[in-house]
Amino acid sequence: MEAMAVFSGSNICVTSSLLRTTDSKTRYSQLRTTQHLSAFPSKSHLFSPSTTSSSYPKTFRTRSSTKSGIFLPTLIASLEQVDQTYIMVKPDGVQRGLVGEIISRFEKKGFKLTGLKLFQCSKELAEEHYKDLSQKSFFPKLIEYITSGPVVSMAWEGVGVVASARKLIGATNPLQAEPGTIRGDFAVQTGRNIIHGSDSPENGEREIALWFKEGELCEWTPVQQPWLRE
């Protein structure tokens, strides 16, 4: 039997001598071989000189070579803003010896103390501090109360310090403040609610600038900072 197969790219043909054979079994076997070879495309990596990674789909190479991305919690932590808040122990808190207890709660939370002083507030300073309440009927009594004895002025710093400080302090009315908060634990009346805290980061900066002079704040790095933030 005389037969010849010709390969040209993806086309594989068999000469007529193969088709004219009288041996049906041989013709069937050769045709199966021809069909099997034709199943491979000419651009298949099996017919390429080498089987490097360039022969594989692009999507596979991209997945295997892509470096790990930034861990999401780390990225979020790095974007968190450090705020400042002004905390003041009012005259009743000072007279009742609660200064150390209040400072301890902020320290245990992990906030950084950057300014601290015992201070006798003047009437002018008190009026400037509470100027947004100047039209309230209780304003004169509030000024009298704040200037009735020394206060402890503090500047605290930390991530979310304003919101956290408000939670530590508790509701303005001590009877509505949750147990565990400063006012919830130690105060019973709005007019003697022990402590003041800034209600926004902007007010925190304004009040710190109002109560502390230049050079009275201290910049330092607590040794526990790596254990507080990622």
Side-chain angles (χ1 to χ4, degrees), residues 34 75 86 105 141 145 158 211:
T34 302
L75 176 60
Y86 174 70
R105 295 199 178 195
K141 292 188 64 175
Y145 159 56
W211 288 83

Side-chain angles (χ1 to χ4, degrees), residues 26-138:
T26 302
R27 183 169 66 249
Y28 176 74
S29 176
Q30 293 298 332
L31 287 175
R32 286 190 61 188
T33 302
T34 302
Q35 292 174 355
H36 177 69
L37 291 174
S38 299
F40 293 102
S42 61
K43 295 183 179 180
S44 172
H45 68 276
L46 295 178
F47 290 110
S48 301
S50 63
T51 55
T52 60
S53 60
S54 61
S55 301
Y56 292 93
K58 184 177 181 181
T59 53
F60 177 81
R61 296 199 308 273
T62 301
R63 290 177 182 175
S64 61
S65 62
T66 302
K67 295 182 179 180
S68 300
I70 299 174
F71 186 47
L72 184 58
T74 302
L75 176 60
I76 294 175
S78 67
L79 295 177
E80 290 179 319
Q81 182 177 351
V82 175
D83 295 321
Q84 293 181 314
T85 189
Y86 174 70
I87 302 296
M88 177 174 62
V89 183
K90 297 177 180 179
D92 55 323
V94 175
Q95 293 288 348
R96 293 177 56 191
L98 297 175
V99 175
E101 173 71 28
I102 291 171
I103 292 176
S104 177
R105 295 199 178 195
F106 283 87
E107 286 182 326
K108 289 177 180 178
K109 181 68 175 178
F111 296 129
K112 181 172 71 175
L113 181 64
T114 59
L116 173 67
K117 63 180 179 180
L118 183 68
F119 186 70
Q120 180 65 52
C121 178
S122 66
K123 181 179 179 181
E124 292 75 21
L125 179 57
E127 289 176 344
E128 177 64 22
H129 178 80
Y130 288 111
K131 64 181 182 180
D132 57 326
L133 301 175
S134 60
Q135 302 303 316
K136 301 292 184 180
S137 59
F138 58 80

Side-chain angles (χ1 to χ4, degrees), residues 168-171 173-187:
L168 289 172
I169 291 171
N173 184 348
L175 298 180
Q176 298 175 354
E178 294 293 329
T181 64
I182 295 171
R183 288 170 176 164
D185 288 348
F186 302 116

Side-chain angles (χ1 to χ4, degrees), residues 112-117 153-156 212 216-218 220:
K112 181 172 71 175
L113 181 64
T114 59
L116 173 67
K117 63 180 179 180
S153 298
M154 294 181 284
W156 290 90
F212 288 92
E216 290 185 331
L217 298 179
C218 182
W220 60 291

